[in-house]
Amino acid sequence: MLFIIIFSIQLKWFPFIYNSTLQVTDWQSFIAQIKQSIMPICVLGIWQTAMLMRFVRSEILENIHQDYVRTAYAKGLPKFLVINRHVLRNALIPVVTLVALDIPSVFTGALVTEKVFRVPGIGALLIDSIYKNDTPVVMVITFIYAILIVIFNLVADILYGLLDPRVKYTK
């Protein structure tokens, strides 16, 4: 709501209601599509980015004082190399878990964002189906969310093997 008040009503930069009938046929309609998509995308992205930044910062601060970092500095490695190869790589392991669980929550968080900005999407369809007692549609959308959770957890497990060489997948 704050974005709508500031950027749509006061500054008049962006439209506050999403026009779902807009068809991109020329450059001007493409720009209009981009302008009406900026606020919903920013609202979804800022929340996730703020949480991830705090988590990455705390993980880096926790890992930067470990013995392996002091050893890397003692070997004479430059600070950039130590941070990228040692600290960041170990700090990203728990972040991968958080991202894998947060990506499906972006889709569920889109429920509220779609209703606030009047964007016709899967979240708006879910809420309308709940109001209309349309059980099959609610079940399908819930199933899609469950599949997203399973897929992104699988991606996280694969990334563990790439980030941490101690993780080995055996038969």
Side-chain angles (χ1 to χ4, degrees):
M1 294 303 292
L2 193 61
F3 267 59
I4 292 173
I5 292 170
I6 292 172
F7 295 110
S8 290
I9 296 173
Q10 290 180 347
L11 297 174
K12 295 181 180 15
W13 286 356
F14 305 114
F16 61 91
I17 294 179
Y18 190 90
N19 182 6
S20 62
T21 61
L22 179 66
Q23 294 182 356
V24 178
T25 56
D26 57 355
W27 187 250
Q28 193 171 7
S29 62
F30 178 71
I31 297 295
Q33 180 70 30
I34 297 292
K35 284 178 82 172
Q36 74 179 4
S37 300
I38 288 174
M39 284 198 309
I41 291 170
C42 285
V43 167
L44 286 173
I46 286 173
W47 169 255
Q48 299 299 324
T49 304
M51 286 188 353
L52 282 176
M53 286 179 66
R54 286 189 61 194
F55 198 77
V56 169
R57 180 185 180 276
S58 68
E59 286 296 319
I60 287 176
L61 289 176
E62 184 178 314
N63 282 309
I64 207 158
H65 299 294
Q66 298 292 330
D67 291 336
Y68 65 88
V69 176
R70 280 187 285 234
T71 304
Y73 280 128
K75 287 181 180 179
L77 291 174
K79 185 175 184 175
F80 177 78
L81 214 58
V82 172
I83 297 297
N84 280 338
R85 284 197 184 158
H86 297 286
V87 176
L88 194 59
R89 192 168 188 174
N90 286 320
L92 285 180
I93 294 169
V95 172
V96 165
T97 305
L98 187 66
V99 169
L101 295 175
D102 275 351
I103 289 176
S105 72
V106 167
F107 290 97
T108 57
L111 294 167
V112 176
T113 307
E114 287 175 4
K115 275 308 207 184
V116 169
F117 290 103
R118 306 289 190 257
V119 178
I122 194 168
L125 176 64
L126 177 63
I127 291 174
D128 290 341
S129 299
I130 290 171
Y131 286 146
K132 295 176 183 175
N133 290 328
D134 193 359
T135 307
V137 174
V138 173
M139 289 172 56
V140 167
I141 294 173
T142 306
F143 184 69
I144 290 170
Y145 287 151
I147 288 174
L148 285 172
I149 290 170
V150 170
I151 287 172
F152 283 108
N153 280 328
L154 176 66
V155 168
D157 286 343
I158 292 169
L159 286 175
Y160 287 152
L162 296 175
L163 289 173
D164 191 358
R166 298 172 294 181
V167 175
K168 299 288 182 203
Y169 298 112
T170 60
K171 294 181 182 179

